[in-house]
């Protein structure tokens, strides 16, 4: 069975992305798939990661010993075969908490695919947050899928529990766009896991 981690990239208690994460939980079983896939939902706030302050870079420190909550983040990332990353846009970049979480990683995500879904409370869909995240993921060796998926007007479309607000005008667009994103990451995760890039 392949595992795809769906990561909420905001640690704000009132994050709009939490409604989006809950919506994905509701629709995930509707996804047609020819491969056995397990989806794991990761909320960064639950890890309570401090700001990165280790004496050595993770890639240069193979013998790290970390507190349980920090090690759990690395373990969850290492155990996944692919990722969906939900990111808002803060001042034309990803949130500090999301960048900080990736600063803890070394090779846990190397050669695994990631689909970026950006979101916002307006029609722009957090596109600059997605753009800023791409080079961070690439530095970690993560295979970023070519086209991020922007999701706009989240508070006007979703209730906090993930259900659509009655008569939300973007509900059909959400259905199409998010199913397409899920299908895409499922495909690439299956391909790259069953036929991995050869290593030396």
């Amino acid at each position: 069975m392949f595992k795809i981690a769906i990561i909420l990239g905001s640690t704000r208690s009132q994050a709009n992305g939490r409604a989006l994460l809950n919506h994905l939980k509701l629709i995930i079983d509707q996804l047609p798939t020819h491969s056995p896939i397990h989806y794991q939902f990761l909320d960064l706030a639950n890890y309570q990661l401090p700001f990165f302050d280790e004496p050595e870079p993770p890639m240069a420190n193979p013998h790290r010993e970390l507190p349980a909550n920090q090690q759990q983040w690395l373990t969850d990332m290492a155990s996944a075969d692919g990722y969906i990353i939900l990111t808002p846009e803060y001042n034309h970049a990803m949130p500090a908490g999301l960048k900080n979480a990736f600063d803890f990683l070394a090779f846990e995500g190397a050669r695994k695919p990631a689909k970026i879904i950006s979101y916002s409370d307006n029609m722009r869909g957090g596109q600059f947050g997605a753009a800023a995240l791409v080079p961070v993921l690439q530095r970690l060796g993560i295979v970023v899928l070519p086209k991020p998926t922007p999701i706009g007007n989240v508070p006007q479309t979703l209730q906090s529990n993930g259900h659509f607000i009655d008569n939300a005008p973007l509900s059909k667009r959400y259905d199409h766009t998010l199913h397409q994103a899920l299908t895409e990451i499922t495909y690439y995760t299956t391909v790259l896991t069953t036929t991995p890039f050869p290593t030396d």
Side-chain angles (χ1 to χ4, degrees):
M1 177 173 288
F2 308 134
K3 181 190 291 186
I4 295 174
I6 302 179
I7 303 161
L8 175 57
S10 173
T11 57
R12 291 175 57 238
S13 59
Q14 301 298 319
N16 290 323
R18 194 157 282 110
L20 183 55
L21 187 76
N22 288 335
H23 183 71
L24 290 172
K25 292 177 181 179
L26 294 174
I27 69 172
I28 209 74
D29 291 335
Q30 303 170 17
L31 183 69
T33 178
H34 301 292
S35 304
I37 300 288
H38 170 69
Y39 296 92
Q40 182 179 17
F41 293 86
L42 307 182
D43 187 336
L44 281 187
N46 293 336
Y47 295 96
Q48 299 183 332
L49 298 173
F51 277 110
F52 181 80
D53 188 28
E54 296 179 29
E56 296 182 83
M59 290 185 182
N61 186 10
H63 305 295
R64 298 161 76 195
E65 294 185 6
L66 298 174
N69 61 313
Q70 299 175 34
Q71 184 57 53
Q72 188 61 55
W73 165 242
L74 302 187
T75 299
D76 288 342
M77 290 297 288
S79 68
D81 301 300
Y83 312 100
I84 292 176
I85 304 167
L86 309 179
T87 182
E89 177 186 326
Y90 291 2
N91 296 326
H92 283 201
M94 81 293 288
L98 180 57
K99 174 61 166 64
N100 183 60
F102 284 119
D103 287 343
F104 276 86
L105 301 182
F107 306 103
E108 290 80 7
R111 294 178 175 170
K112 299 176 184 179
K115 176 70 176 180
I116 300 174
I117 299 178
S118 62
Y119 64 88
S120 71
D121 60 359
N122 55 54
M123 283 301 294
R124 293 191 298 273
Q127 57 187 321
F128 292 108
L133 183 56
V134 170
V136 176
L137 300 179
Q138 290 177 332
R139 176 65 185 95
L140 293 167
I142 294 172
V143 181
V144 184
L145 301 191
K147 190 175 180 181
T149 297
I151 300 295
N153 286 4
V154 173
Q156 297 85 4
T157 307
L158 296 176
Q159 302 176 52
S160 60
N161 61 10
H163 288 279
F164 283 122
I165 294 172
D166 289 343
N167 301 314
L170 292 181
S171 58
K172 289 185 178 179
R173 181 184 296 182
Y174 269 48
D175 279 339
H176 173 74
T177 302
L178 291 174
H179 277 86
Q180 188 175 44
L182 289 167
T183 300
E184 186 179 0
I185 188 58
T186 299
Y187 171 80
Y188 281 101
T189 299
T190 302
V191 169
L192 292 179
T193 304
T194 55
T195 55
F197 188 85
T199 58
D200 294 334

